[in-house]
Amino acid sequence: MKPTAFLLIGALLLPALAIAGDGHDHGEAAPTAANPNAPQRLPDGSVFLPKKTQRFIQVRTQPATLETLPRSLILNGQVVAGMDASSKVQALQAGRLDIANGSLPAIGDKVEKGQVLATLTLAKDAQEGTNQAAEAADLQEQLKLAELEQQRLQGLGELIPRREVDTAAATVRSLQARLAVFRKGAKGVTETVRSPISGIVTASHAANGQAVQAGDLLLDIIDPSKLQVEAVTYDPALPANIAAANVTIGKQTLALRYQGNSQQLRQQALPLRFSVEGETLAQLAAGSPVQVTVQTRETLQGVAVPAEALARNPSNQTVVWVKTTPEQYAPRVVQYQPLDGERVMITAGLPDGERVVVQATNLINQIR
C-alpha cells in the first residue's frame, strides 16, 4: 500500500481514537447561560432589577408632580465674621506681659466678655525714672512746707479769715495726691487686659513675660453664633429680587436672611451679605468657601426632586431613572435648575406622573 494511503487512513481514524471513555472527557465545556434573574442592562438602555435587589439596595421612588416653583440661582461665597462677631486683643501701651494663670487662652478655648486675660506692666526708661524721682522729691518738700503753713494758719485761730485756712488745707491735699501718683508710677503702672467679647480663640500671639509694643496683637477672638455669609453676583437687579436663601454645610442646610448689598463693586461683582438663621453649626468656620442658593420671586413650572436623583449617562448627559414596570427602570434625559440646598427642579424631560427614583440612583446607573 502506498504511504499516501496510510496517511489518509490515519487522518480518518484520529478523531475516533482521541475520544476518551465515559467520565474521562477533557474536551471544552459548554458555555454557561447568563442568569436571567440577575440585574442587567437591557439592549434598549433600561435596567432589569429584581424585587429582591430593589429591597437590598433600598430603592425609593416618588411620583413626578408638576408644580410652580421659585427660580433659583447658586452664588459663590464665603463665611465671614460680622462686625460684632470678631475682635483683636491688642496691647495699648509698651510693657511686659504677665499672663493670668500662666498662659494666654489657646486656640479653641472659650472666653467670656470682661474676662481678665493678662496684666501689662508699662515700660519706662532710666531717664524717665530719674525725672519722676526728682519731681517726687520736689513734691515732698512742697508738701512739708504746705503742712507747716497749714499748721501756722490753724494756730492763729480767728485772727485770719477761714478762707485762708481752707486754701492751705486744699493745697496739702493736692500735693499729697500728686505725690501718691508719682510713687505709684515709680513702682510700675499696670493695666488689665480683658476680653472685649465672648467667643472662641482663633489665634494666640504672646507668651508670659513677653515684652510688647503698643499695638501688638495678643489674641484673635470670634463669636461663632454671629458668623455671616458673603456672596457675590454679577446681576445688579438680583438684590431686589431675593425671596429666600440657604447654604448647605455637609448634610445640613442653614437658612439665611438677606441683609443687604454693598454699593461698591468688588472685581466687577456685587457683594451680598446674609446672616445665618437659628443656631450656627460648629462646622461653619470664618473663611470657608460656600455655595449660596438664592430663591428669587420669579417662578417656573417644574418637578421638585432630591439632588441625589440626578445621574450621568455615558454621553455625560444628566438623567433621572423612572420606574416603568415593577422590575424595570428606564433613564430620562432631563434639564434642571437648583431649587434649594437639597432639591433641584426638573424643567424638561420628565413627564408628570412618572415614578422617579429618589434613592439608590447611582447604584442603578452603574448596572451594566
Side-chain angles (χ1 to χ4, degrees), residues 285-347:
S288 300
V290 293
Q291 287 190 325
V292 179
T293 303
V294 176
Q295 295 181 351
T296 67
R297 294 184 173 85
E298 302 174 12
T299 58
L300 295 173
Q301 292 289 319
V303 178
V305 298
E308 60 182 306
L310 302 179
R312 292 281 181 176
N313 65 9
S315 301
N316 203 33
Q317 296 172 305
T318 302
V319 299
V320 296
W321 286 86
V322 297
K323 190 172 187 177
T324 56
T325 68
E327 294 185 333
Q328 190 169 344
Y329 294 83
R332 297 283 188 267
V333 178
V334 297
Q335 297 178 4
Y336 74 98
Q337 292 187 1
L339 183 58
D340 52 37
E342 299 176 349
R343 301 180 300 163
V344 296
M345 176 173 53
I346 305 297
T347 57

Coordinates of all heavy atoms in Angstrom, one line a residue, residues 285-347:
A285 N -16.9 77.8 59.7 CA -15.7 78.5 60.1 C -15.5 79.7 59.2 O -15.7 79.6 58.0 CB -14.5 77.5 60.1
A286 N -15.0 80.8 59.8 CA -14.8 82.0 59.0 C -13.7 81.7 58.0 O -12.7 81.1 58.2 CB -14.3 83.1 59.9
G287 N -14.0 82.2 56.7 CA -13.1 81.9 55.6 C -13.5 80.7 54.8 O -12.9 80.6 53.7
S288 N -14.4 79.9 55.2 CA -14.8 78.7 54.4 C -15.5 79.1 53.2 O -16.5 79.9 53.2 CB -15.6 77.8 55.3 OG -14.9 77.4 56.5
P289 N -15.1 78.5 52.0 CA -15.9 78.8 50.8 C -17.2 78.0 50.8 O -17.2 76.9 51.2 CB -15.0 78.3 49.7 CG -14.1 77.3 50.3 CD -13.9 77.7 51.8
V290 N -18.3 78.6 50.4 CA -19.6 78.0 50.4 C -20.3 78.4 49.1 O -19.9 79.3 48.4 CB -20.5 78.4 51.6 CG1 -19.9 77.9 52.9 CG2 -20.6 79.9 51.6
Q291 N -21.4 77.6 48.8 CA -22.3 78.0 47.7 C -23.6 78.3 48.3 O -24.2 77.5 49.0 CB -22.4 76.8 46.7 CG -21.1 76.6 45.9 CD -21.4 75.6 44.7 OE1 -22.1 74.6 44.9 NE2 -20.7 75.8 43.6
V292 N -24.1 79.5 47.9 CA -25.3 80.0 48.4 C -26.4 79.9 47.4 O -26.3 80.3 46.2 CB -25.2 81.5 48.8 CG1 -26.5 82.1 49.3 CG2 -24.1 81.7 49.8
T293 N -27.5 79.2 47.8 CA -28.7 79.0 46.9 C -29.7 80.1 47.2 O -30.2 80.2 48.3 CB -29.3 77.7 47.1 OG1 -28.4 76.6 46.9 CG2 -30.5 77.5 46.1
V294 N -29.9 81.0 46.2 CA -30.8 82.1 46.3 C -32.1 81.9 45.5 O -32.0 81.6 44.3 CB -30.1 83.4 45.8 CG1 -31.1 84.6 45.9 CG2 -28.9 83.7 46.7
Q295 N -33.2 81.9 46.2 CA -34.5 81.8 45.5 C -35.1 83.2 45.2 O -35.1 84.0 46.1 CB -35.5 81.0 46.4 CG -35.1 79.6 46.7 CD -36.1 78.8 47.5 OE1 -37.0 79.4 48.1 NE2 -35.9 77.5 47.6
T296 N -35.4 83.4 44.0 CA -36.0 84.7 43.6 C -37.5 84.7 43.6 O -38.1 83.7 43.9 CB -35.5 85.0 42.1 OG1 -36.1 84.1 41.2 CG2 -34.0 84.9 42.0
R297 N -38.1 85.8 43.4 CA -39.5 86.0 43.4 C -40.1 85.5 42.0 O -41.4 85.4 41.9 CB -39.9 87.4 43.6 CG -39.6 87.9 45.1 CD -40.1 89.3 45.3 NE -39.9 89.7 46.7 CZ -38.7 90.2 47.2 NH1 -37.7 90.4 46.4 NH2 -38.6 90.5 48.5
E298 N -39.3 85.2 41.0 CA -39.8 84.7 39.8 C -40.1 83.2 40.0 O -39.5 82.5 40.8 CB -38.8 84.8 38.7 CG -38.4 86.3 38.5 CD -37.2 86.4 37.5 OE1 -36.9 85.4 36.8 OE2 -36.7 87.5 37.3
T299 N -41.1 82.7 39.2 CA -41.5 81.3 39.3 C -41.4 80.5 38.0 O -41.4 81.2 36.9 CB -42.9 81.1 39.8 OG1 -43.8 81.8 38.9 CG2 -43.0 81.7 41.2
L300 N -41.2 79.2 38.0 CA -41.2 78.4 36.9 C -42.0 77.1 37.1 O -42.3 76.8 38.3 CB -39.7 77.9 36.5 CG -38.8 79.1 36.1 CD1 -37.3 78.5 36.1 CD2 -39.2 79.7 34.8
Q301 N -42.4 76.4 36.1 CA -43.1 75.1 36.2 C -42.0 74.0 36.1 O -41.2 74.0 35.2 CB -44.1 75.0 35.0 CG -45.3 75.9 35.1 CD -46.2 75.5 36.2 OE1 -46.5 74.4 36.5 NE2 -46.7 76.6 36.9
G302 N -42.1 73.1 37.1 CA -41.1 72.0 37.1 C -41.5 71.0 38.2 O -42.5 71.1 38.9
V303 N -40.6 70.0 38.3 CA -40.8 68.9 39.2 C -39.7 68.9 40.2 O -38.5 68.9 39.8 CB -40.8 67.5 38.5 CG1 -40.9 66.4 39.5 CG2 -41.9 67.5 37.5
A304 N -40.0 69.0 41.5 CA -39.0 69.1 42.5 C -38.6 67.6 42.9 O -39.5 66.8 43.3 CB -39.5 69.8 43.8
V305 N -37.3 67.3 42.9 CA -36.8 66.0 43.3 C -35.5 66.3 44.1 O -34.9 67.3 44.0 CB -36.5 65.1 42.1 CG1 -37.7 64.8 41.3 CG2 -35.4 65.8 41.2
P306 N -35.1 65.3 44.9 CA -33.8 65.5 45.6 C -32.7 65.5 44.7 O -32.7 64.9 43.6 CB -33.8 64.2 46.5 CG -35.2 63.7 46.6 CD -35.9 64.1 45.4
A307 N -31.6 66.2 45.1 CA -30.4 66.3 44.2 C -29.8 65.0 43.9 O -29.2 64.8 42.8 CB -29.4 67.3 44.8
E308 N -29.9 64.0 44.8 CA -29.4 62.7 44.6 C -30.1 61.9 43.5 O -29.7 60.8 43.2 CB -29.3 61.9 45.9 CG -30.6 61.7 46.5 CD -30.5 60.9 47.9 OE1 -29.9 59.8 47.9 OE2 -31.0 61.4 48.9
A309 N -31.2 62.4 43.0 CA -32.0 61.7 42.0 C -31.3 61.8 40.6 O -31.6 61.1 39.7 CB -33.4 62.2 41.9
L310 N -30.3 62.8 40.5 CA -29.7 63.0 39.2 C -28.5 62.1 39.1 O -27.8 61.7 40.0 CB -29.2 64.5 39.2 CG -30.3 65.6 39.3 CD1 -29.6 66.9 39.2 CD2 -31.3 65.4 38.2
A311 N -28.2 61.7 37.8 CA -27.0 60.9 37.5 C -26.6 61.3 36.1 O -27.2 62.2 35.4 CB -27.4 59.4 37.5
R312 N -25.4 60.7 35.6 CA -24.9 61.0 34.3 C -24.8 59.7 33.5 O -24.4 58.7 34.0 CB -23.5 61.5 34.5 CG -23.4 62.9 35.1 CD -23.7 64.0 34.1 NE -23.6 65.3 34.6 CZ -23.7 66.4 34.0 NH1 -24.0 66.4 32.7 NH2 -23.7 67.6 34.5
N313 N -25.3 59.8 32.2 CA -25.2 58.7 31.3 C -23.9 58.6 30.6 O -23.0 59.5 30.8 CB -26.4 58.7 30.4 CG -26.3 59.9 29.4 OD1 -25.3 60.6 29.3 ND2 -27.4 60.1 28.6
P314 N -23.5 57.6 29.9 CA -22.2 57.5 29.2 C -22.0 58.7 28.3 O -20.8 59.0 28.0 CB -22.3 56.2 28.4 CG -23.3 55.4 29.1 CD -24.3 56.3 29.7
S315 N -23.0 59.4 27.8 CA -22.8 60.6 27.0 C -22.6 61.9 27.8 O -22.7 63.0 27.3 CB -23.9 60.7 26.0 OG -24.1 59.6 25.2
N316 N -22.5 61.7 29.1 CA -22.4 62.8 30.1 C -23.6 63.7 30.1 O -23.5 64.9 30.4 CB -21.1 63.6 29.7 CG -20.6 64.4 31.0 OD1 -20.7 64.0 32.1 ND2 -20.0 65.6 30.7
Q317 N -24.7 63.2 29.8 CA -26.0 63.9 29.9 C -26.6 63.7 31.3 O -26.4 62.6 31.9 CB -27.0 63.5 28.8 CG -26.5 63.8 27.4 CD -27.4 63.2 26.4 OE1 -27.7 62.0 26.4 NE2 -28.0 64.0 25.5
T318 N -27.3 64.6 31.8 CA -28.0 64.5 33.1 C -29.3 63.7 32.9 O -30.1 64.0 32.0 CB -28.3 65.8 33.7 OG1 -27.1 66.6 33.8 CG2 -29.0 65.7 35.0
V319 N -29.4 62.6 33.7 CA -30.6 61.7 33.6 C -31.2 61.5 35.0 O -30.5 61.7 36.0 CB -30.2 60.4 32.9 CG1 -29.7 60.6 31.5 CG2 -29.2 59.6 33.8
V320 N -32.4 61.1 35.0 CA -33.1 60.5 36.1 C -33.6 59.2 35.7 O -33.8 58.9 34.5 CB -34.2 61.4 36.7 CG1 -33.7 62.7 37.2 CG2 -35.3 61.6 35.6
W321 N -33.8 58.3 36.7 CA -34.3 56.9 36.4 C -35.8 56.9 36.8 O -36.1 57.3 37.9 CB -33.5 55.9 37.1 CG -32.2 55.7 36.4 CD1 -31.0 56.4 36.6 CD2 -31.8 54.7 35.4 NE1 -30.0 55.9 35.8 CE2 -30.5 54.9 35.1 CE3 -32.6 53.7 34.7 CZ2 -29.8 54.1 34.1 CZ3 -31.9 53.0 33.8 CH2 -30.6 53.2 33.5
V322 N -36.6 56.3 36.0 CA -38.1 56.2 36.3 C -38.4 54.7 36.2 O -37.8 53.9 35.5 CB -38.9 57.0 35.3 CG1 -38.6 58.5 35.4 CG2 -38.8 56.5 33.9
K323 N -39.4 54.4 37.0 CA -39.9 53.0 37.1 C -41.0 52.8 36.1 O -42.1 53.4 36.1 CB -40.4 52.7 38.5 CG -40.7 51.3 38.8 CD -41.1 51.1 40.3 CE -41.2 49.6 40.7 NZ -41.5 49.5 42.1
T324 N -40.7 51.9 35.1 CA -41.6 51.7 34.0 C -42.5 50.4 34.3 O -43.6 50.4 33.9 CB -40.9 51.5 32.7 OG1 -39.9 50.5 32.8 CG2 -40.2 52.8 32.3
T325 N -41.9 49.4 34.9 CA -42.6 48.2 35.3 C -42.1 47.8 36.7 O -41.2 48.4 37.2 CB -42.4 47.0 34.3 OG1 -41.0 46.6 34.5 CG2 -42.6 47.4 32.9
P326 N -42.8 46.9 37.4 CA -42.4 46.5 38.7 C -40.9 46.2 38.8 O -40.3 46.4 39.9 CB -43.3 45.4 39.1 CG -44.5 45.6 38.3 CD -44.0 46.2 37.0
E327 N -40.3 45.7 37.8 CA -38.9 45.3 37.8 C -38.0 45.9 36.7 O -37.0 45.3 36.4 CB -38.7 43.7 37.8 CG -39.3 43.0 39.0 CD -39.1 41.5 39.0 OE1 -38.9 41.0 37.9 OE2 -39.0 41.0 40.1
Q328 N -38.4 47.0 36.2 CA -37.7 47.6 35.1 C -37.7 49.1 35.3 O -38.7 49.7 35.6 CB -38.3 47.2 33.7 CG -37.4 47.6 32.5 CD -37.9 47.0 31.2 OE1 -38.7 46.1 31.2 NE2 -37.4 47.5 30.1
Y329 N -36.5 49.7 35.0 CA -36.3 51.1 35.2 C -35.6 51.7 33.9 O -34.8 51.0 33.3 CB -35.3 51.4 36.3 CG -35.9 51.1 37.7 CD1 -35.9 49.7 38.1 CD2 -36.6 52.0 38.5 CE1 -36.4 49.4 39.4 CE2 -37.1 51.6 39.7 CZ -37.1 50.3 40.1 OH -37.6 50.0 41.3
A330 N -36.0 52.9 33.5 CA -35.5 53.5 32.3 C -35.0 54.9 32.6 O -35.5 55.6 33.4 CB -36.7 53.6 31.2
P331 N -33.9 55.3 31.8 CA -33.4 56.6 32.0 C -34.1 57.7 31.2 O -34.7 57.4 30.2 CB -31.9 56.5 31.5 CG -32.0 55.4 30.5 CD -33.1 54.5 30.9
R332 N -34.2 58.9 31.8 CA -34.8 60.0 31.1 C -33.8 61.2 31.1 O -33.4 61.6 32.2 CB -36.1 60.4 31.8 CG -37.2 59.4 31.8 CD -37.9 59.3 30.5 NE -39.0 58.4 30.6 CZ -39.0 57.1 30.3 NH1 -37.9 56.5 29.9 NH2 -40.1 56.4 30.4
V333 N -33.4 61.6 29.9 CA -32.5 62.8 29.8 C -33.3 64.0 30.2 O -34.4 64.3 29.7 CB -31.9 62.9 28.4 CG1 -31.1 64.2 28.3 CG2 -31.1 61.7 28.1
V334 N -32.8 64.8 31.2 CA -33.6 66.0 31.7 C -32.8 67.2 31.7 O -31.5 67.2 31.6 CB -34.1 65.6 33.2 CG1 -35.0 64.5 33.2 CG2 -32.9 65.4 34.1
Q335 N -33.5 68.3 31.9 CA -32.8 69.6 32.2 C -33.3 70.0 33.6 O -34.5 69.8 34.0 CB -33.2 70.7 31.2 CG -32.8 70.3 29.8 CD -33.2 71.4 28.7 OE1 -33.9 72.4 29.1 NE2 -32.9 71.1 27.5
Y336 N -32.4 70.7 34.3 CA -32.8 71.0 35.7 C -32.1 72.4 36.1 O -31.2 72.9 35.5 CB -32.3 69.9 36.7 CG -30.8 69.9 36.9 CD1 -30.3 70.5 38.1 CD2 -30.0 69.3 36.0 CE1 -28.9 70.5 38.3 CE2 -28.6 69.3 36.2 CZ -28.1 69.9 37.4 OH -26.7 69.9 37.6
Q337 N -32.7 72.9 37.2 CA -32.1 74.1 37.8 C -32.1 73.9 39.3 O -32.8 73.1 39.9 CB -33.0 75.3 37.5 CG -33.0 75.8 36.1 CD -33.8 77.1 35.9 OE1 -34.3 77.6 36.8 NE2 -33.8 77.5 34.6
P338 N -31.2 74.5 40.0 CA -31.2 74.4 41.5 C -32.5 74.9 42.1 O -33.1 75.9 41.6 CB -30.0 75.2 41.9 CG -29.8 76.2 40.8 CD -30.2 75.5 39.6
L339 N -32.9 74.3 43.2 CA -34.1 74.8 43.9 C -33.8 75.3 45.3 O -34.1 76.4 45.7 CB -35.1 73.7 43.9 CG -36.5 74.0 44.6 CD1 -37.1 75.2 43.8 CD2 -37.4 72.8 44.6
D340 N -33.1 74.4 46.1 CA -32.6 74.8 47.4 C -31.4 74.0 47.7 O -30.8 73.3 46.8 CB -33.7 74.7 48.5 CG -34.3 73.3 48.5 OD1 -33.6 72.3 48.3 OD2 -35.6 73.2 48.7
G341 N -31.0 73.9 48.9 CA -29.7 73.2 49.2 C -29.9 71.7 49.1 O -28.8 71.0 49.0
E342 N -31.1 71.2 49.0 CA -31.3 69.7 49.0 C -32.0 69.2 47.8 O -31.9 68.1 47.4 CB -32.0 69.3 50.2 CG -31.3 69.6 51.6 CD -32.1 69.2 52.8 OE1 -33.3 68.9 52.6 OE2 -31.6 69.2 53.9
R343 N -32.7 70.1 47.1 CA -33.6 69.7 45.9 C -33.2 70.4 44.7 O -32.6 71.5 44.7 CB -35.0 69.9 46.2 CG -35.6 69.1 47.5 CD -37.1 69.4 47.6 NE -37.3 70.8 47.8 CZ -38.5 71.4 47.7 NH1 -39.6 70.6 47.4 NH2 -38.6 72.7 47.9
V344 N -33.6 69.9 43.5 CA -33.4 70.5 42.3 C -34.8 70.5 41.6 O -35.7 69.8 42.0 CB -32.4 69.9 41.4 CG1 -31.0 69.9 42.0 CG2 -32.7 68.4 41.1
M345 N -34.9 71.4 40.6 CA -36.2 71.4 39.8 C -36.0 70.9 38.4 O -35.2 71.5 37.7 CB -36.7 72.9 39.8 CG -38.0 73.1 39.0 SD -38.7 74.7 39.1 CE -37.3 75.8 38.7
I346 N -36.7 69.8 38.0 CA -36.6 69.3 36.7 C -37.5 70.2 35.8 O -38.8 70.2 36.0 CB -37.0 67.8 36.6 CG1 -36.2 67.0 37.6 CG2 -36.9 67.3 35.2 CD1 -34.7 67.0 37.3
T347 N -37.0 70.9 34.8 CA -37.7 71.7 34.0 C -38.1 71.1 32.6 O -39.0 71.6 31.9 CB -37.0 73.1 33.7 OG1 -35.7 72.7 33.1 CG2 -36.8 73.8 35.0

